Amino acid sequence: MQGELLRASQSRPPEERPKEPLRPERSRSDCPVLLSQRLVLRAPHEEDIDALAHLANNANIATMVSRMPHPYTAKDAADFVRRAKAGEIGKCVYAITRGDNGAFLGCCALEPHQDERTLEIGYWLGEPHWNRGYATEAAHVLIDMAFGTRNHIDYIDARCRVTNIPSKRVIQKCGFQFQGTGMIDCMALGGMVAVEWFRLDRKTWMSLRSWGELR
C-alpha cells in the first residue's frame, strides 16, 4: 500500500515559509490523532497541499511506491487530501508532521485486507527528512494504535521494492519478518516492479511493544 500516499507561492520551498502549527483534529474516532516523541500523526488538511505537492514531486519517492504519479502536482495533492477525507484511500490515512512546529513531512496509512484480520502499512517521507528516524517513529506509533485498539487484527503486512534498502530497514526495525517476494504495479514507472513482503503478527508485537531492543 506504499503509495499515496504548486502554486505561485511555491517559488519558495514550503519549509521557508512561516506558518502556524496546525492543531490536531480529533474528529476521526476510529483513526485518532497519534503522538510520539517528535511527531504528530493527523488527518491531511488543505493547508498541507503546497508542502505535499513540493515533497511528493520527486522521482526518488514516486518510483519506490505503488500509487503515486510523477510528476506530482498541486492538483494531485488536493485530490489526495479530498479522497483521504472521504475515506476513499485506505482505512486510516495520516499526515506525518513535526510536533514542535507542525511541519508536514510525509504520509502513512493503514489499509485493510479482505480477510478483515490483516492490515497493510504504507509510508513515505519527503527526501529532506530522510535518515532522521521519522519513518520508524511514525510506523511504531501507527502499529501500536492498530494492534492496541483493534482486537480483531492479527497481522500487519508491509511491502517494499527490493531495491529500497532504507524502507526495508524501517520494516525490520519494527519487527516484521520476511514472507516472500512478488510483483506490484508502480504508477510512476508505468509497469510492474519486484517487491519483498513482510509480516508482523500480534504475538510478536506484544513481545516487542516497548520497541526498546529495536531502536
Side-chain angles (χ1 to χ4, degrees), residues 68-85:
M68 182 181 287
H70 184 75
Y72 194 98
T73 67
K75 181 179 179 181
D76 293 316
D79 187 58
F80 172 84
V81 172
R82 178 192 62 78
R83 290 188 294 138
K85 283 190 170 186

Side-chain angles (χ1 to χ4, degrees), residues 107-166:
C107 291
C108 60
L110 292 169
E111 182 173 342
H113 286 200
Q114 290 185 345
D115 65 6
E116 298 184 352
R117 299 170 54 230
T118 307
L119 296 173
E120 184 146 343
I121 188 172
Y123 51 85
W124 67 268
L125 285 174
E127 191 165 357
H129 311 298
W130 292 358
N131 301 315
R132 301 184 187 182
Y134 289 139
T136 303
E137 189 171 330
H140 280 167
V141 71
L142 192 58
I143 291 165
D144 284 347
M145 183 276 289
F147 279 134
T149 64
R150 302 173 186 199
N151 294 331
H152 65 287
I153 296 300
D154 295 325
Y155 307 103
I156 298 177
D157 285 356
R159 288 174 172 81
C160 70
R161 286 193 63 182
V162 296
T163 57
N164 194 345
I165 304 303

Side-chain angles (χ1 to χ4, degrees), residues 170-189:
V170 170
I171 291 169
Q172 292 171 336
K173 285 181 180 180
C174 291
F176 286 77
Q177 301 298 310
F178 177 76
Q179 302 294 309
T181 59
M183 302 290 290
I184 63 170
D185 186 59
C186 177
M187 181 183 295
L189 292 174

